[in-house]
């Protein structure tokens, strides 16, 4: 079963370089407008088309779009269910389904065979298997699983976060600048919620608009919000869960044409991003953060969502 994500007491920051532009007055504003990366409200949306399904015992699994890096599950059962997906790497990704509608689960470990298991809660913490099957997945490309919303980073048209993503994108000149602007916004405006961290449950699911409204959250909320903002504007983003030292933690990794996938050491030298941990980054000085992070070996990836 999924472990509760507990966040660091020592928070982390990306070392952001200062960009120097030689320009003046209205000409600078005009240049920024001309060089905007633009924005979109036509982000990718999961669909349970019904073209290919696996059904039984009150469970329906729509596997019509596994090539796009996701499957969808709907339960007709009155009891809570858990969904487990065993990826091509042998890791078991466990989820708790909270609604009676279709929920979206990512397929993030590449091409190959995935085992799907659905369990029904019968009492207390006891579950019985209701449905299981194996599917073969061939992804359209390596990025699609990290461009769609899913249960842990859910967004759709009309949400406040989508308007924010468009605004931050329009004020950015490149993908790299957009990532920087999103990171700066989240770490500046969202405060860490110590009380929530003490009482978080193992089946907690982030709600990005609630995070924006309360302006507070735990590491999972920070990572989920940044993932949604970036994916909705076309930047492939991994919501990463693993260990920072011995602490279960969540952060993100992003892809841009300038950098490729950003992993490992935490720094930004003006051209290259690395490990992006948005949890209250602004609360710490650069020196203390770099001392903790070191060469990135304190971070161990367990799951990519």
């Amino acid at each position: 079963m999924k472990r509760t994500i507990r966040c660091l007491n020592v928070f982390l920051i990306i070392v952001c370089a200062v960009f120097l532009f030689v320009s003046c007055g209205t000409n600078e504003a005009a240049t920024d407008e001309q060089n905007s990366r633009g924005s979109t409200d036509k982000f990718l949306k999961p669909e349970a088309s019904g073209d290919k399904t696996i059904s039984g015992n009150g469970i329906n699994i729509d596997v019509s779009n596994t090539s796009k890096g996701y499957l969808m599950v709907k339960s007709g059962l009155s009891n809570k269910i858990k969904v487990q997906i065993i990826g091509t790497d042998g890791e078991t990704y466990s989820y708790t389904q909270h609604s009676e509608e279709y929920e979206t689960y990512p397929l993030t470990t590449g091409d190959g065979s995935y085992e799907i298991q659905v369990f029904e809660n019968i009492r207390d913490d006891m579950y019985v298997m209701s449905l299981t099957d194996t599917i073969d997945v061939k992804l359209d490309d390596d990025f699609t699983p990290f461009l769609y919303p899913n249960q842990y980073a859910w967004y759709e048209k009309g949400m406040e976060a989508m308007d924010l993503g468009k605004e931050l994108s329009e004020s950015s000149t490149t993908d790299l600048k957009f990532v920087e602007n999103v990171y700066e916004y989240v770490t500046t405006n969202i405060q860490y919620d110590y009380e929530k961290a003490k009482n978080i449950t193992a089946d907690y699911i982030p709600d990005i608009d609630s995070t924006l409204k309360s302006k507070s959250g735990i590491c999972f909320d920070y990572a989920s919000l940044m993932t949604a903002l970036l994916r909705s504007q076309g930047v492939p983003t991994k919501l990463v869960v693993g260990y920072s030292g011995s602490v279960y933690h969540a952060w993100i990794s992003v892809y841009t044409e300038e950098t490729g996938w950003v992993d490992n050491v935490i720094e930004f030298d003006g051209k290259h991003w690395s490990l992006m941990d948005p949890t209250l980054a602004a609360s710490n000085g650069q020196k203390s953060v770099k001392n903790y992070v070191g060469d990135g070996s304190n971070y161990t990836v367990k799951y990519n969502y």
Side-chain angles (χ1 to χ4, degrees), residues 186-198:
V186 172
T187 57
T188 300
N189 289 278
I190 308 301
Q191 302 299 310
Y192 188 76
D193 191 331
Y194 292 94
E195 192 62 29
K196 184 176 183 178
K198 293 177 183 177

Side-chain angles (χ1 to χ4, degrees), residues 120-168:
E120 179 185 2
N121 179 250
I122 54 174
R123 67 174 183 273
D124 301 325
D125 292 328
M126 295 183 63
Y127 288 79
V128 295
M129 185 178 291
S130 294
L131 185 63
T132 183
D133 208 333
T134 299
I135 59 173
D136 290 322
V137 173
K138 176 65 176 176
L139 296 172
D140 290 342
D141 61 55
D142 293 337
F143 300 116
T144 51
F146 307 109
L147 284 169
Y148 278 87
N150 62 49
Q151 192 196 54
Y152 284 164
W154 182 255
Y155 53 91
E156 56 189 334
K157 191 173 182 178
M159 294 177 65
E160 180 183 351
M162 299 304 91
D163 293 334
L164 175 60
K166 289 178 62 178
E167 178 184 337
L168 293 172

Side-chain angles (χ1 to χ4, degrees), residues 12-298:
L12 308 175
I13 187 173
I14 286 180
V15 181
C16 295
V18 177
F19 290 98
L20 300 177
F21 295 95
V22 180
S23 56
C24 61
T26 57
N27 289 334
E28 178 181 5
T31 300
D32 286 345
E33 183 177 354
Q34 292 169 2
N35 292 336
S36 171
R37 74 183 294 273
S39 66
T40 182
D41 57 7
K42 296 181 180 179
F43 45 80
L44 298 176
K45 181 180 179 180
E47 179 184 10
S49 62
D51 295 335
K52 188 176 181 181
T53 61
I54 302 166
S55 301
N57 297 323
I59 304 296
N60 193 66
I61 306 172
D62 193 298
V63 292
S64 306
N65 295 294
T66 58
S67 64
K68 295 178 172 61
Y70 68 87
L71 57 81
M72 303 181 76
V73 178
K74 183 176 182 179
S75 171
L77 302 174
S78 58
N79 296 334
K80 182 169 63 174
I81 67 170
K82 287 189 179 292
V83 177
Q84 290 190 343
I85 300 174
I86 302 174
T88 60
D89 59 357
E91 289 286 355
T92 299
Y93 286 65
S94 296
Y95 308 88
T96 300
Q97 181 130 347
H98 288 260
S99 77
E100 296 179 357
E101 302 302 319
Y102 275 108
E103 293 197 31
T104 304
Y105 302 102
L107 304 169
T108 59
T109 60
D111 296 344
S113 179
Y114 289 74
E115 184 177 355
I116 311 165
Q117 302 174 340
V118 182
F119 300 84
E120 179 185 2
N121 179 250
I122 54 174
R123 67 174 183 273
D124 301 325
D125 292 328
M126 295 183 63
Y127 288 79
V128 295
M129 185 178 291
S130 294
L131 185 63
T132 183
D133 208 333
T134 299
I135 59 173
D136 290 322
V137 173
K138 176 65 176 176
L139 296 172
D140 290 342
D141 61 55
D142 293 337
F143 300 116
T144 51
F146 307 109
L147 284 169
Y148 278 87
N150 62 49
Q151 192 196 54
Y152 284 164
W154 182 255
Y155 53 91
E156 56 189 334
K157 191 173 182 178
M159 294 177 65
E160 180 183 351
M162 299 304 91
D163 293 334
L164 175 60
K166 289 178 62 178
E167 178 184 337
L168 293 172
S169 180
E170 288 170 355
S171 65
S172 305
T173 54
T174 65
D175 286 356
L176 195 60
K177 186 64 177 177
F178 176 47
V179 173
E180 181 186 355
N181 287 343
V182 167
Y183 182 86
E184 182 178 358
Y185 181 91
V186 172
T187 57
T188 300
N189 289 278
I190 308 301
Q191 302 299 310
Y192 188 76
D193 191 331
Y194 292 94
E195 192 62 29
K196 184 176 183 178
K198 293 177 183 177
N199 298 290
I200 205 72
T201 60
D203 60 356
Y204 174 73
I205 296 176
D207 182 323
I208 61 173
D209 267 3
S210 292
T211 301
L212 284 176
K213 183 177 181 180
S214 67
K215 296 189 180 301
S216 65
I218 61 169
C219 60
F220 211 2
D221 298 312
Y222 279 77
S224 177
L225 175 56
M226 281 196 69
T227 298
L229 293 171
L230 293 166
R231 284 186 188 178
S232 68
Q233 294 301 312
V235 175
T237 306
K238 296 177 183 178
L239 196 169
V240 186
V241 173
Y243 291 91
S244 181
S246 61
V247 179
Y248 212 47
H249 191 46
W251 62 94
I252 71 167
S253 179
V254 299
Y255 179 93
T256 72
E257 290 187 0
E258 296 100 320
T259 64
W261 280 109
V262 173
D263 298 300
N264 301 323
V265 185
I266 185 168
E267 63 183 3
F268 180 55
D269 63 9
K271 293 182 179 179
H272 302 97
W273 287 97
S274 61
L275 185 66
M276 299 202 54
D277 186 335
T279 307
L280 280 184
S283 296
N284 293 270
Q286 296 179 3
K287 183 176 180 180
S288 63
V289 171
K290 294 194 77 172
N291 286 342
Y292 175 80
V293 174
D295 62 0
S297 60
N298 284 329

